[in-house]
Amino acid sequence: MRSSLTATAVLSLTLIAPALPAGAAGTSASTSASPTSTQATTTTTTRTFEVRGEIDDISLPNRRIRVDRDRGSDVDVKVTKSTFIRLNGDRVGLRSLDEGDRIYARGVVKNGVRYATFISSEG
């Protein structure tokens, strides 16, 4: 069971990473100033987040949900087109979630914005 969950997580991240905002999924970038210069590498740290709570508000035009966390204040979570969303075990889109649904979300934080890579709800 554990290897199945690990395989699912790796597959989910592999499918989701290309559609994340620029730099959200990567941990390094390289630049080259000219053909004769040496290549410089810059490393950035990608932070992750997890949140559990109840959906307090959904903004479809902004692809954002506000979550009333079980512990702490409300947080906003951006939902990308590639965010993997499960509702009662089925893969669904953002429009299938409703205010009041209890969710678990995880993803990456880029420039202070939380981008969900996975959301699960039992409705």
Side-chain angles (χ1 to χ4, degrees), residues 108-122:
V108 297
V109 180
K110 179 70 175 171
N111 296 326
V113 178
R114 291 174 180 87
Y115 293 93
T117 54
F118 176 81
I119 298 173
S120 176
S121 176
E122 297 301 319

Side-chain angles (χ1 to χ4, degrees), residues 48-103:
T48 61
F49 76 91
E50 291 184 74
V51 62
R52 285 180 171 79
E54 186 175 297
I55 296 177
D56 190 41
D57 182 54
I58 299 175
S59 173
L60 293 175
N62 296 326
R63 299 193 59 82
R64 177 202 46 81
I65 58 175
R66 175 163 293 140
V67 181
D68 181 7
R69 293 191 298 181
D70 293 338
R71 300 175 188 228
S73 59
D74 293 358
V75 295
D76 287 341
V77 177
K78 293 288 282 185
V79 180
T80 67
K81 290 183 179 188
S82 65
T83 299
F84 193 89
I85 303 173
R86 286 255 184 226
L87 177 62
N88 298 320
D90 297 323
R91 184 159 188 190
V92 298
L94 178 59
R95 292 180 187 275
S96 297
L97 297 177
D98 293 313
E99 291 179 12
D101 285 351
R102 293 209 38 87
I103 67 163

Side-chain angles (χ1 to χ4, degrees), residues 28-39:
S28 66
S30 61
T31 58
S32 179
S34 69
T36 58
S37 69
T38 59
Q39 192 172 32

